[in-house]
C-alpha cells in the first residue's frame, strides 16, 4: 500500500545519501559486490586492487552505510543512534 511505498522510497533515499558519503572507489566496490554480484577477485582485477584490499574496503564501506542508514532513518523516527 501507500505506507509501504513511502517506506521503500525513504529507505532508497537514505541508501543513496549513504552511498554518496563513500569515496568513489569504495562506492564502486559496494555497487559491484552488492548490486552487480561480482566476486571479490573480479572486483580486485577490475579496479587493480588485491582481493584482500577489496574485502577490507567492502567491509568498512558496508559498516559506514549501516551507520549512515541508522543515523538518517533514526533521526527521522526519533531513534538516532549515537
Amino acid at each position: 500500500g501507500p505506507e509501504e511505498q513511502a517506506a521503500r522510497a525513504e529507505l532508497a533515499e537514505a541508501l543513496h545519501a549513504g552511498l554518496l558519503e563513500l569515496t568513489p572507489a569504495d562506492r564502486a566496490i559496494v555497487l559491484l559486490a552488492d548490486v552487480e554480484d561480482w566476486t571479490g577477485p573480479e572486483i580486485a582485477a577490475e579496479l587493480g586492487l588485491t582481493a584482500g584490499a577489496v574485502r577490507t574496503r567492502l567491509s568498512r564501506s558496508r559498516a559506514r552505510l549501516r551507520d549512515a542508514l541508522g543515523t538518517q532513518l533514526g533521526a527521522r523516527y526519533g531513534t538516532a543512534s549515537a
Side-chain angles (χ1 to χ4, degrees), residues 24-59 62:
D26 287 346
R27 185 167 47 248
I29 291 170
V30 169
L31 293 175
L32 290 172
D34 295 337
V35 177
E36 299 296 331
D37 204 28
W38 286 26
T39 66
E42 289 171 330
I43 296 168
E46 180 68 22
L47 300 181
L49 301 169
T50 65
V54 168
R55 282 191 302 274
T56 299
R57 292 173 77 165
L58 183 58
S59 176
R62 285 174 174 162

